Structures are given as structure tokens and as C-alpha cells.
Amino acid sequence: MDAIEVEGKTYEEAVRKASLELNAEEKDLDIEVKEVDTKGILGLLGSKKVRITARMREKETTPEDYGKQLLQDLGRFAGLTFNVKTTELNEKTGRVLFLIQCDDGDVLIGKDGETLESLQHILRLAIAKRYKENLKILVDINGYREKRRNALTVMAKRLADKAKRTGRQIKTDPLNPYERRIIHTLFKHNKNVTTKSEGEGHTKKVVISPTGHARHGRR
């Protein structure tokens, strides 16, 4: 039931009738006064009638619920059907994970996760625009990021061993900020190698250097 019209001798009576009919409290209703019909001289004599329109007030969704719905809508637009779950990754960082489970997930992941990163960027902007909040989010599809994390860890350790063995700096392929953070965190307390980001723009290379080489700020 979208909306109902009810009448009462007073505004309060009309609202009570609407609340009973919609089985809701007044605070959960949007009320619009349609007509006040007063009979008599200056309203002092005769009867008065108030007609209102009442409808259930739309409940404000949370950023997480809005994000889930937006991702599902984007999926339908792309001809895909999938399930989205949300969970908080870390209480300290407040980062929220949107986990998509989809049979055709590779379409949304793209080469080296490029499409996935774009999807995450769109979701972050949409939430920020609607809620005026810079919510820290992470979008994952079929556990891709965990697999990518494992692959990056293996690769980074191999490059670190080579850097220590040869005494030379070793550079990775261009990586997005999330992937670079994985490598920086991996060697954060390592006494044998240091890391830094190199390049401009969204994707940069990570330089892995044996201890003793100049170290610059991580980005």
C-alpha cells in the first residue's frame, strides 16, 4: 500500500486512523494535509473535518546496504546475477568488504583486476556522494584478492631474495595502491630489504632494495 487518505475531526484523529490502518507509529509516517473543511461562522460553530494523505516513510539505508544494492543493480545491467555479502575487515581501519560471488566473475575482475578496481572506485564515489562519507571499502569477487595476495607475496619474496643475492634493486610490474600496500606491509619489519613506490598515477612500481640502499617514503 503506497498511500492512504483518511479523515478526522482533528489532525490528531486523522493521524491515529492512518496509523491504525497502516499498522505503524506516527514517527514512521509521512503526513500531508490535503484539506481542512470548516463549517460554521469563523470555525466557531458547526463541524470541522481534516483530510490527510499518509504513507510509510522510507527507511534510510546504511552505506553498506546501499552499496550492496548498487552492485547488484550494476550486475543486472551487465547481464549478471550474483550475491553480495558485506563484512568489516578490521575494526581499527573500519574497512568494509563487499564480497561478490558470481559464476562469471572473471568478467568483473578483468585483466590484472583492472575492472574490479574500476568497480570499487565507482562504488566508493557513489557512497561518498550519497552519504557525504569517505567509507573505506574493498570489493572482492570470488576470493580473487586473497589469491592475488598470495601470488604477490610469493613474487615479492622471490624478488627480495634476488635483490639480497645480487645486491641490486629489483622492480615489480605496475601495481595498484592496494597491491603495493601488501608488499610494503610484507617487508615493513624486514632488516634485509626496504621498499618504496616509484612512478606517477594510480599504478606504480614497487622497488625492493637490499639494506644499505637509499630509502624513500612509501606511497
Side-chain angles (χ1 to χ4, degrees):
M1 184 180 296
D2 294 331
I4 60 171
E5 280 196 4
V6 294
E7 294 180 353
K9 293 181 178 180
T10 63
Y11 172 83
E12 289 76 13
E13 180 180 301
V15 171
R16 283 197 298 272
K17 288 182 178 181
S19 298
L20 287 172
E21 191 163 339
L22 291 173
N23 191 27
E25 296 183 23
E26 180 180 351
K27 64 182 179 65
D28 296 323
L29 299 178
D30 282 325
I31 306 294
E32 179 183 358
V33 178
K34 303 296 290 185
E35 182 181 355
V36 177
D37 182 12
T38 302
K39 297 180 179 179
I41 302 173
L42 299 178
L44 299 177
L45 300 174
S47 61
K48 185 171 67 172
K49 181 173 60 178
V50 178
R51 180 180 292 109
I52 66 171
T53 297
R55 58 173 53 84
M56 294 296 298
R57 179 174 295 151
E58 291 185 7
K59 293 183 179 180
E60 181 64 25
T61 59
T62 66
E64 292 84 353
D65 291 335
Y66 172 74
K68 287 174 61 175
Q69 187 59 54
L70 179 59
L71 288 173
Q72 289 170 341
D73 290 343
L74 289 173
R76 282 192 290 271
F77 181 77
L80 301 173
T81 301
F82 49 68
N83 182 43
V84 183
K85 295 181 179 179
T86 61
T87 183
E88 190 169 303
L89 281 178
N90 190 306
E91 292 183 359
K92 293 182 179 180
T93 63
R95 186 182 293 272
V96 176
L97 170 67
F98 291 84
L99 178 59
I100 298 174
Q101 296 176 324
C102 176
D103 292 338
D104 300 310
D106 290 345
V107 175
L108 294 175
I109 294 172
K111 182 181 179 182
D112 296 328
E114 291 180 355
T115 305
L116 175 57
E117 287 300 314
S118 298
L119 186 64
Q120 178 173 285
H121 182 64
I122 291 172
L123 181 62
R124 182 183 292 112
L125 290 179
I127 291 176
K129 182 177 181 180
R130 181 180 179 90
Y131 294 93
K132 311 301 180 185
E133 176 183 351
N134 185 25
L135 184 68
K136 296 179 180 179
I137 67 170
L138 186 67
V139 178
D140 195 7
I141 299 176
N142 295 342
Y144 167 81
R145 290 196 184 276
E146 184 63 28
K147 298 173 186 176
R148 180 64 171 162
R149 172 190 286 275
N150 293 336
L152 284 172
T153 299
V154 171
M155 179 270 293
K157 289 181 177 180
R158 177 174 55 80
L159 295 182
D161 288 340
K162 184 177 180 180
K164 289 185 291 184
R165 187 174 65 254
T166 62
R168 300 172 60 184
Q169 295 180 342
I170 304 294
K171 299 180 181 180
T172 68
D173 291 331
L175 303 171
N176 63 50
Y178 175 75
E179 294 172 333
R180 295 197 304 272
R181 192 177 303 114
I182 291 174
I183 297 178
H184 291 319
T185 302
L186 178 64
F187 296 115
K188 184 177 182 179
H189 301 294
N190 193 299
K191 297 180 180 180
N192 298 313
V193 296
T194 60
T195 62
K196 67 176 182 179
S197 293
E198 180 181 89
E200 301 295 333
H202 184 70
T203 58
K204 302 175 184 178
K205 296 181 179 181
V206 174
V207 181
I208 302 176
S209 305
T211 302
H213 283 250
R215 183 177 182 179
H216 302 282
R218 298 171 179 173
R219 293 179 291 170

